Amino acid sequence: MDYFNSNKYEREWKLYEDFLASAAVKLSSSGGQSRRTDLKLVDCVSYRVRFGHGLPPRSFIRVGPSILYTDKVRAQDRAAPEGETCSVPSGFDLLPNEVLCKIFGWLDTIDQLPLRRVCKRWEDVLRSRPCLETISICPQTLVAPPVPEECLVFALDKMVDKDRSRVLGLYGPRNQPVYINCLHSSSREEDVLDSIADEIMNYALGKQSAAEQANVYSVFTKGPLIRQFTVRCLHHSLFSDIRRIELTYGSVSFQNLSELPSTVNEILLRQMDLTGLASLTDYGEYGFAIDIERAAIVAWTEDERLVVLWRLAEQEVKPLTPKQLLRLANRIQLCQNFVLSDVLRGVDEIVLRREDELVTRKGPTKWDLATIKPLTAVDVNAFVRFRLDALGILGRH
Amino acid sequence: MSTAASSSTSETIAEPGLKIKVSTKEGEVFELDEKVAKMSQVIRGILEDLGEQNGGDDSVLPLTQVETRIFRKILVWLKYHAGHDKEEAPKAEEDEIIARFCEEIPEWDQKFLNVDQAVILEIMLAADYLDIKKLRGLCCKTVANILKTKTVEQIREMYGIENDFTPEEEEEIRKQTAWCEDEPPRQGSNH
């Protein structure tokens, strides 16, 4: 298996050296008297190496750059008793793996997968392609694979706009977003599969640039419920760095949240249906949650890991009513050990937004977050009440 | 500066400036403008390494693995692009440039590559050998587009690739990849 420690490798090196020697002789005997006679074929090779082409004997024998490919070598390679068969060299046989990779790089995974069946070499190359910067997960109804682990589901950020889609964005290493596409949630498997088929179609139609596609490992899979798959994906070593997750649309439950990898320390919820959280107030080891219909603040703590989730309704969702704000304030008391300032900043945001609509009212318009820290839960309640009072929008129900 | 070609099979290109002589596999000698020749990173590297001393000497750079008929083809491409391309941006962005260039293959290049499949592969191979990244990228994209539309069997036949899997191995891979082929996506039913 270990080619580079094998006899084959040594034998190929020998051939390689012989070949270089003979080529150099040929070159200097045909090159005339010019100063360039010292320019040996080796130089060409070294340039290639310098440019990062790399030249292990394997490439030399099997798929090496044409400069090294002689009939002699080819014949000997063919005569070699073991190792991969290399029949009549076709155009592709001559191409270095690197070039083959570049060809495949222009294909997205949907197109790449069947090509694995062409021959062993293609299979090798396709398997080894670096990939997996993007995955897709369907939260409730999604699929888990009878496929290899590297075949994770992918998604495109472009799909964010698709009304049936939900998007879960993950922020991976180097702060690059990793998008997880959450498909249509339905209890019927056929619906899910249809959705997946649609997504595949959309992807195949190529919404992304080819350059991006080259980095996207895109596999849709069928199988059991996605939740396990989700977790498996997220615990994949590739995502060991994930620290921030964004959820948009759809719903979430604490079960989902509890399955997130422990590296995640920030979760943003946007326009989520949080009824899964709403019915619960004390989530035990997961902490506590607050929700106000579609807009929500969630806070919980687990061991040293403190997570504060808050994302108040964004544009598309209507602003909170004062009553909702009050409920929010009341619920805040349920939270323990949450980052008060973060929550309050969220509250403040709403209040400030309301203020925009109520410019004529008089009252405090800025809340200095620095003063928040010593507040207790009760203080928070009072604070919110105070702010609302100041705006004159409370107590008129 | 320029020297008369010494080989009887040589082909000169009458342009001013430094000439670089290269020979193909068959030994045919071509004389190229420096600018054209330097589009090949390999030739450029060799020339740079030789420094200033290369002017006026009649030695020939052997491109032993490029056949004349392919080299002629590549020469057409090189000359066209030497004349039409903007100045190369810094190397760091090279990949990006190639990606952008290949994103939508220009019409001229499309026509250029409207040749037999085998020839494209040979051009690609030669472009890789000569390290002409743009041309290589172009060929890769073109081939990729073709692969996309073919079945595995068609690809094997087209390019003379031997199926070296055992039936069991092939079946295994087929299983792993089956879901994405041979199964037209079902029509969506939303309810």
Side-chain angles (χ1 to χ4, degrees):
Chain A
M1 200 61 227
D2 189 355
Y3 168 80
F4 289 101
N5 287 320
S6 68
N7 290 334
K8 189 170 182 225
Y9 180 70
E10 277 172 29
R11 200 176 66 236
E12 289 177 3
W13 252 116
K14 189 77 185 63
L15 280 175
Y16 174 70
E17 283 167 353
D18 289 351
F19 172 72
L20 285 184
S22 68
V25 169
K26 234 194 285 172
L27 202 72
S28 54
S29 63
S30 67
Q33 284 77 33
S34 87
R35 275 164 303 198
R36 271 191 213 158
T37 47
D38 58 340
L39 172 65
K40 298 183 181 72
L41 199 52
V42 182
D43 293 328
C44 295
V45 174
S46 73
Y47 282 110
R48 296 182 54 86
V49 173
R50 190 190 300 167
F51 291 129
H53 287 248
L55 271 183
R58 170 181 265 172
S59 338
F60 158 65
I61 292 297
R62 228 179 131 223
V63 292
S66 54
I67 189 173
L68 297 175
Y69 229 107
T70 66
D71 289 334
K72 179 186 156 203
V73 169
R74 228 180 259 167
Q76 292 191 24
D77 186 37
R78 241 178 291 162
E82 85 274 15
E84 303 97 321
T85 51
C86 185
S87 66
V88 190
S90 76
F92 273 108
D93 286 335
L94 297 173
L95 289 179
N97 280 356
E98 182 211 348
V99 178
L100 209 50
C101 256
K102 288 200 185 298
I103 295 174
F104 296 147
W106 288 104
L107 299 171
D108 57 51
T109 309
I110 297 297
D111 291 322
Q112 278 178 21
L113 278 178
L115 298 182
R116 282 171 47 179
R117 275 175 42 222
V118 170
C119 66
K120 282 182 176 167
R121 182 173 164 225
W122 286 32
E123 153 89 356
D124 273 359
V125 171
L126 284 165
R127 258 189 201 287
S128 63
R129 281 179 50 72
C131 43
L132 264 182
E133 289 195 7
T134 305
I135 62 168
S136 163
I137 296 176
C138 318
Q140 290 99 17
T141 44
L142 298 200
V143 269
V147 295
E149 187 152 58
E150 77 258 24
C151 295
L152 296 176
V153 185
F154 90 103
L156 304 172
D157 52 338
K158 307 288 188 293
M159 290 180 182
V160 171
D161 294 327
K162 298 194 60 188
D163 43 14
R164 289 202 321 185
S165 297
R166 301 163 175 183
V167 171
L168 226 172
L170 295 183
Y171 287 78
R174 299 183 304 282
N175 217 14
Q176 287 171 342
V178 175
Y179 292 97
I180 296 186
N181 186 39
C182 303
L183 295 165
H184 200 262
S185 89
S186 158
S187 53
R188 292 181 56 219
E189 195 187 48
E190 294 121 78
D191 288 353
V192 177
L193 295 181
D194 283 336
S195 301
I196 293 172
D198 286 351
E199 304 288 359
I200 292 174
M201 289 295 280
N202 280 321
Y203 184 67
L205 289 173
K207 294 266 162 56
Q208 275 198 319
S209 79
E212 282 171 307
Q213 282 176 6
N215 290 327
V216 174
Y217 197 87
S218 49
V219 177
F220 282 94
T221 57
K222 298 170 181 173
L225 280 185
I226 194 58
R227 201 141 45 76
Q228 300 152 356
F229 186 46
T230 306
V231 172
R232 211 166 99 203
C233 287
L234 294 178
H235 283 94
H236 194 280
S237 57
L238 280 162
F239 300 109
S240 57
D241 254 3
I242 282 181
R243 46 185 183 70
R244 192 169 106 126
I245 292 187
E246 252 180 70
L247 296 117
T248 311
Y249 304 116
S251 63
V252 67
S253 74
F254 254 91
Q255 183 66 24
N256 298 141
L257 295 180
S258 66
E259 285 168 348
L260 295 172
S262 58
T263 47
V264 174
N265 60 15
E266 192 182 352
I267 301 176
L268 294 182
L269 307 175
R270 285 207 187 112
Q271 300 168 37
M272 296 283 291
D273 170 11
L274 293 175
T275 46
L277 300 176
S279 57
L280 303 169
T281 48
D282 184 347
Y283 301 101
E285 60 178 312
Y286 305 122
F288 302 84
I290 305 160
D291 88 285
I292 298 178
E293 291 164 18
R294 283 171 63 88
I297 290 178
V298 177
W300 95 87
T301 168
E302 185 182 354
D303 304 322
E304 296 303 298
R305 177 160 74 114
L306 188 111
V307 184
V308 172
L309 315 173
W310 62 267
R311 178 55 80 204
L312 296 159
E314 303 209 337
Q315 306 93 312
E316 292 93 329
V317 176
K318 34 179 204 270
L320 298 181
T321 64
K323 223 188 237 177
Q324 287 172 328
L325 267 178
L326 201 60
R327 273 170 63 199
L328 170 71
N330 286 331
R331 292 286 194 89
I332 287 175
Q333 315 178 40
L334 297 170
C335 301
Q336 295 173 347
N337 303 326
F338 61 91
V339 179
L340 199 55
S341 58
D342 281 353
V343 176
L344 287 181
R345 201 183 300 131
V347 173
D348 218 30
E349 260 181 22
I350 312 174
V351 174
L352 287 174
R353 195 178 302 156
R354 297 298 291 170
E355 277 177 357
D356 288 341
E357 301 164 21
L358 301 161
V359 279
T360 54
R361 306 280 179 187
K362 225 182 159 220
T365 54
K366 267 268 187 259
W367 179 261
D368 183 3
L369 286 176
T371 65
I372 291 177
K373 280 175 188 141
L375 289 184
T376 65
V378 177
D379 290 326
V380 174
N381 197 353
F383 158 69
V384 174
R385 190 171 275 279
F386 165 73
R387 297 300 311 275
L388 297 177
D389 270 336
L391 292 168
I393 53 177
L394 202 66
R396 293 192 182 175
H397 35 280
Chain B
M1 285 296 277
S2 66
T3 325
S6 52
S7 163
S8 58
T9 56
S10 75
E11 183 174 287
T12 54
I13 297 127
E15 297 266 349
L18 189 60
K19 297 290 186 188
I20 311 297
K21 268 188 268 175
V22 298
S23 67
T24 58
K25 188 178 184 179
E26 290 91 338
E28 188 162 342
V29 176
F30 288 82
E31 209 172 73
L32 316 181
D33 281 346
E34 191 182 8
K35 186 181 177 192
V36 171
K38 281 188 169 177
M39 287 173 75
S40 154
Q41 289 298 324
V42 166
I43 296 179
R44 174 191 289 261
I46 291 171
L47 292 178
E48 277 168 11
D49 214 47
L50 291 173
E52 298 306 311
Q53 57 177 337
N54 56 359
D57 99 43
D58 60 352
S59 64
V60 174
L61 210 56
L63 306 175
T64 52
Q65 291 303 309
V66 186
E67 291 175 24
T68 302
R69 66 194 169 90
I70 298 299
F71 191 73
R72 282 186 198 281
K73 194 85 179 129
I74 287 181
L75 203 53
V76 169
W77 188 90
L78 287 177
K79 279 153 111 183
Y80 176 85
H81 282 277
H84 288 75
D85 285 10
K86 284 172 242 144
E87 272 302 297
E88 288 289 328
K91 256 206 170 132
E93 299 163 33
E94 210 166 63
D95 284 349
E96 201 189 313
I97 292 170
I98 293 161
R100 220 182 303 132
F101 174 73
C102 294
E103 184 63 44
E104 285 192 18
I105 302 178
E107 204 183 329
W108 188 91
D109 295 273
Q110 275 181 29
K111 266 192 207 147
F112 174 80
L113 285 180
N114 188 14
V115 292
D116 194 70
Q117 279 303 293
V119 176
I120 294 188
L121 290 183
E122 283 179 89
I123 292 175
M124 192 187 324
L125 190 61
D128 181 54
Y129 164 60
L130 294 170
D131 204 358
I132 309 168
K133 291 203 176 66
K134 259 190 183 178
L135 179 56
R136 187 182 63 185
L138 199 66
C139 294
C140 286
K141 175 86 187 279
T142 307
V143 172
N145 285 342
I146 291 162
L147 292 183
K148 234 189 274 192
T149 62
K150 304 287 179 196
T151 66
V152 171
E153 289 71 23
Q154 283 170 332
I155 290 169
R156 284 194 200 123
E157 192 179 337
M158 234 168 101
Y159 298 106
I161 298 169
E162 190 191 342
N163 176 10
D164 51 4
F165 288 114
T166 64
E168 293 78 27
E169 284 170 337
E170 190 174 0
E171 188 50 36
E172 186 56 33
I173 298 172
R174 189 196 295 276
K175 259 189 225 155
Q176 290 175 6
T177 62
W179 59 270
C180 71
E181 59 176 329
D182 305 326
E183 192 184 17
R186 277 179 281 170
Q187 287 304 307
S189 64
N190 288 328
H191 299 290

